[in-house]
Amino acid sequence: MGRWEPGARERLVVAAVDLFTEQGYDATTVTQIAERAGVTKSTFFRHFPDKRELLVAGQETLSRLLSEGIADAPGDAGPLEAVAAGLRRASTAMGPMSRELAPRLKAAVAASTELQERDALKTVSLAAAMTAALLARGVPDPTAALAGELGVLAFKRGYAEWAEDDRGAEGELAGYTLAALDELRAATASLG
């Protein structure tokens, strides 16, 4: 086994999701994940502090991309237009591997209370990143918080639809997340 094999991080994520789906989160060990990925246990720990962190492997990148997209939105963009820019930017990080893993990841999370809690923390973190980026643009606090929450909801809804769509690579994630944001925008208008 190579010490720094390319793609080790991705192989670890795939191996973990497969094992969590096959035998459950609690029954899966770090050793099993490393063996399935074709790496050593020490390589696992170079990439992840524990097996829970595998399921949020791209969270920092996703938060950064959402924030950068919001920050780079045109100066006259409203809060939801800035969120849309963040969703567009973040969608670039989600490729075929993300789409392929989505159904298995969803099943693994649904089967484990610990993973459901970790997923909830991820959601809170993404909303906080978007809210902070909106606040940095001068958006007032309640508006920034609401727009950040709507952005996360749009991302989650769009991602779920994208992952379940059988059109293959034809549909890009950005289209799904932006459509979900438009639906949520329309829904908020009907709350009045």
Side-chain angles (χ1 to χ4, degrees), residues 8-31:
R9 184 177 179 86
E10 293 80 12
R11 288 196 321 274
L12 285 163
V13 171
V14 171
V17 170
D18 287 345
L19 286 165
F20 294 164
T21 303
E22 293 167 16
Q23 62 191 33
Y25 173 78
D26 292 331
T28 300
T29 67
V30 168
T31 301

Side-chain angles (χ1 to χ4, degrees), residues 31-52:
T31 301
Q32 291 171 323
I33 295 168
E35 287 175 0
R36 173 80 61 102
V39 300
T40 64
K41 192 172 173 181
S42 62
T43 298
F44 175 95
F45 287 114
R46 274 200 259 337
H47 291 282
F48 301 101
D50 59 44
K51 68 181 182 177
R52 283 179 307 158

Side-chain angles (χ1 to χ4, degrees), residues 35-85:
E35 287 175 0
R36 173 80 61 102
V39 300
T40 64
K41 192 172 173 181
S42 62
T43 298
F44 175 95
F45 287 114
R46 274 200 259 337
H47 291 282
F48 301 101
D50 59 44
K51 68 181 182 177
R52 283 179 307 158
E53 294 303 310
L54 283 156
L55 297 185
V56 293
Q59 180 177 343
E60 288 177 21
T61 300
L62 187 56
S63 291
R64 180 180 48 77
L65 290 171
L66 287 165
S67 297
E68 288 173 357
I70 290 170
D72 292 344
D76 62 345
L80 288 181
E81 292 169 314
V83 166

Side-chain angles (χ1 to χ4, degrees), residues 8-180:
R9 184 177 179 86
E10 293 80 12
R11 288 196 321 274
L12 285 163
V13 171
V14 171
V17 170
D18 287 345
L19 286 165
F20 294 164
T21 303
E22 293 167 16
Q23 62 191 33
Y25 173 78
D26 292 331
T28 300
T29 67
V30 168
T31 301
Q32 291 171 323
I33 295 168
E35 287 175 0
R36 173 80 61 102
V39 300
T40 64
K41 192 172 173 181
S42 62
T43 298
F44 175 95
F45 287 114
R46 274 200 259 337
H47 291 282
F48 301 101
D50 59 44
K51 68 181 182 177
R52 283 179 307 158
E53 294 303 310
L54 283 156
L55 297 185
V56 293
Q59 180 177 343
E60 288 177 21
T61 300
L62 187 56
S63 291
R64 180 180 48 77
L65 290 171
L66 287 165
S67 297
E68 288 173 357
I70 290 170
D72 292 344
D76 62 345
L80 288 181
E81 292 169 314
V83 166
L87 292 172
R88 265 188 231 91
R89 176 84 53 94
S91 295
T92 64
M94 306 300 233
M97 184 177 108
S98 296
R99 190 175 203 161
E100 180 187 322
L101 285 178
R104 293 180 283 175
L105 185 56
K106 181 180 177 182
V109 170
S112 169
T113 302
E114 187 173 347
L115 294 181
Q116 290 168 19
E117 291 168 358
R118 191 66 184 100
D119 189 54
L121 288 173
K122 175 183 175 181
T123 298
V124 169
S125 175
L126 293 175
M130 284 195 273
T131 300
L134 289 165
L135 289 170
R137 288 178 61 87
V139 176
D141 189 357
T143 304
L146 180 58
E149 293 289 341
L150 286 173
V152 170
L153 187 54
F155 183 81
K156 289 180 76 114
R157 290 172 61 105
Y159 181 81
E161 289 179 26
W162 173 68
E164 293 171 7
D165 195 334
D166 61 1
R167 291 186 295 171
E170 172 183 327
E172 295 295 323
L173 176 57
Y176 290 86
T177 59
L178 295 175

